[in-house]
């Protein structure tokens, strides 16, 4: 997100009440009408659904700066997903009509929002393609690459630039729809091939291009 856009968003949302949520606290419940639009100032928030068996399916993870829920910003419908704080978070809550007026008056912010929504849709479609037809191995690689693209941090290993993320096998399992045991097995294969290192929930990819080729070539 461009600095100028962030500055406009901060200036606008800071006019409204600020809320604090503890880790694992539900911000929005499925089946309720959101009070307004939340602007995430710091922390992480996950958006997920529950199956009839109570199994979670994570749809998105928001990090600062971002705002949600987006569908309810434009449509008067109840939210169909849960929004939960993954860490302690601080957010501002603005009325929907005020946010809509703000976007009309600031087309640069609206264009930035549309661009980020488009990137998110591309990632979702890529994930769906592997959920429907990919192997467990491909699904795990896809989730790792998606996490790296959004939350990866650059680090140096043996004078080479690598990408790392703090994530657990359980998180990858929830995202990919696989069992934790299956994810652990596939991660072990990636480690054996030298494509990743994975210690104490810190996953590092020494060569991102090589991992991408592995997804395409198998």
């Amino acid at each position: 997100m461009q600095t100028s856009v962030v500055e406009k968003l901060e200036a606008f949302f800071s006019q409204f009440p600020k809320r604090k949520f503890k880790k694992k606290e539900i911000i929005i419940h499925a089946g309720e009408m959101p009070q307004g639009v939340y602007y995430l100032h710091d922390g992480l928030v996950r958006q997920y659904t529950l199956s009839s068996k109570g199994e979670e399916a994570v749809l998105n993870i928001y990090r600062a700066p971002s705002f949600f829920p987006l569908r309810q910003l434009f449509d008067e419908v109840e939210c169909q997903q849960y929004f939960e704080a993954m860490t302690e978070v601080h957010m501002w809550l603005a009325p929907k009509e005020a946010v809509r007026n703000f976007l009309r008056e600031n087309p640069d912010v609206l264009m930035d929002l549309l661009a980020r929504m488009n990137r998110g849709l591309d990632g979702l479609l890529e994930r769906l393609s592997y959920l429907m037809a990919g192997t467990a191995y491909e699904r795990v690689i896809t989730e790792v690459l998606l996490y790296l693209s959004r939350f990866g941090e650059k680090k140096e290993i043996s004078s080479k630039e690598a990408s790392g993320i703090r994530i657990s096998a359980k998180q990858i399992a929830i995202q990919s729809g696989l069992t934790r045991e299956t994810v652990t097995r596939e991660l072990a294969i990636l480690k054996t091939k030298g494509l990743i290192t994975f210690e104490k929930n810190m996953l590092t990819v020494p060569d991102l291009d090589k991992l991408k080729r592995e997804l395409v070539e198998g």
Side-chain angles (χ1 to χ4, degrees):
M1 189 179 293
Q2 297 178 6
T3 302
S4 60
V5 170
V6 174
E7 290 174 347
K8 285 187 176 183
L9 286 168
E10 295 270 345
F12 169 74
F13 278 97
S14 61
Q15 305 173 73
F16 302 99
K18 197 169 189 179
R19 305 289 181 89
K20 174 183 175 181
F21 293 88
K22 298 178 182 178
K23 183 178 179 179
K24 294 187 178 181
E25 187 174 356
I26 302 296
I27 301 164
I28 302 174
H29 288 79
E32 75 176 27
M33 182 69 73
Q35 299 176 29
V37 178
Y38 287 96
Y39 176 78
L40 182 59
H41 182 261
D42 57 72
L44 297 172
V45 171
R46 68 184 186 124
Q47 177 183 5
Y48 68 93
T49 60
L50 289 176
S51 70
S52 58
K53 297 180 180 180
E55 298 173 336
E56 295 181 2
V58 178
L59 303 175
N60 197 9
I61 295 177
Y62 295 87
R63 64 174 179 176
S66 59
F67 50 100
F68 62 85
L70 294 178
R71 183 182 177 188
Q72 285 70 28
L73 174 58
F74 303 104
D75 294 324
E76 293 298 323
V77 294
E78 293 179 346
C79 191
Q80 300 302 309
Q81 301 88 34
Y82 293 87
F83 289 79
E84 178 187 276
M86 295 178 66
T87 62
E88 181 176 282
V89 299
H90 297 87
M91 300 186 292
W92 286 296
L93 177 62
K96 288 184 283 187
E97 187 57 35
V99 177
R100 287 193 287 262
N101 289 335
F102 170 72
L103 292 175
R104 292 188 192 102
E105 295 167 2
N106 295 272
D108 56 331
V109 179
L110 179 58
M111 290 302 294
D112 181 84
L113 171 62
L114 292 174
R116 287 187 292 113
M117 290 176 66
N118 188 56
R119 288 195 294 272
L121 180 59
D122 283 345
L124 180 60
L125 291 175
E126 182 179 0
R127 176 182 293 153
L128 285 174
S129 68
Y130 282 103
L131 283 175
M132 291 186 291
T135 64
Y137 186 65
E138 292 170 332
R139 286 158 70 175
V140 168
I141 295 176
T142 299
E143 291 303 328
V144 169
L145 290 173
L146 288 173
Y147 262 94
L148 283 170
S149 68
R150 297 194 62 191
F151 308 108
E153 298 178 359
K154 299 298 181 183
K155 55 193 301 185
E156 191 172 295
I157 297 181
S158 302
S159 300
K160 292 183 178 180
E161 191 178 74
S163 296
I165 46 172
R166 189 159 293 282
I167 193 172
S168 66
K170 180 180 178 180
Q171 284 175 279
I172 297 175
I174 292 173
Q175 287 285 103
S176 62
L178 300 168
T179 65
R180 187 172 181 174
E181 293 73 20
T182 298
V183 169
T184 300
R185 183 185 67 238
E186 303 305 331
L187 289 174
I189 295 173
L190 288 170
K191 287 177 65 177
T192 300
K193 291 185 175 183
L195 294 170
I196 67 167
T197 62
F198 191 43
E199 300 292 339
K200 296 181 179 179
N201 289 346
M202 187 66 196
L203 190 152
T204 302
V205 178
D207 190 329
L208 199 57
D209 290 335
K210 192 173 181 180
L211 184 61
K212 291 177 180 178
R213 288 196 299 271
E214 180 73 7
L215 179 61
V216 176
E217 301 170 1

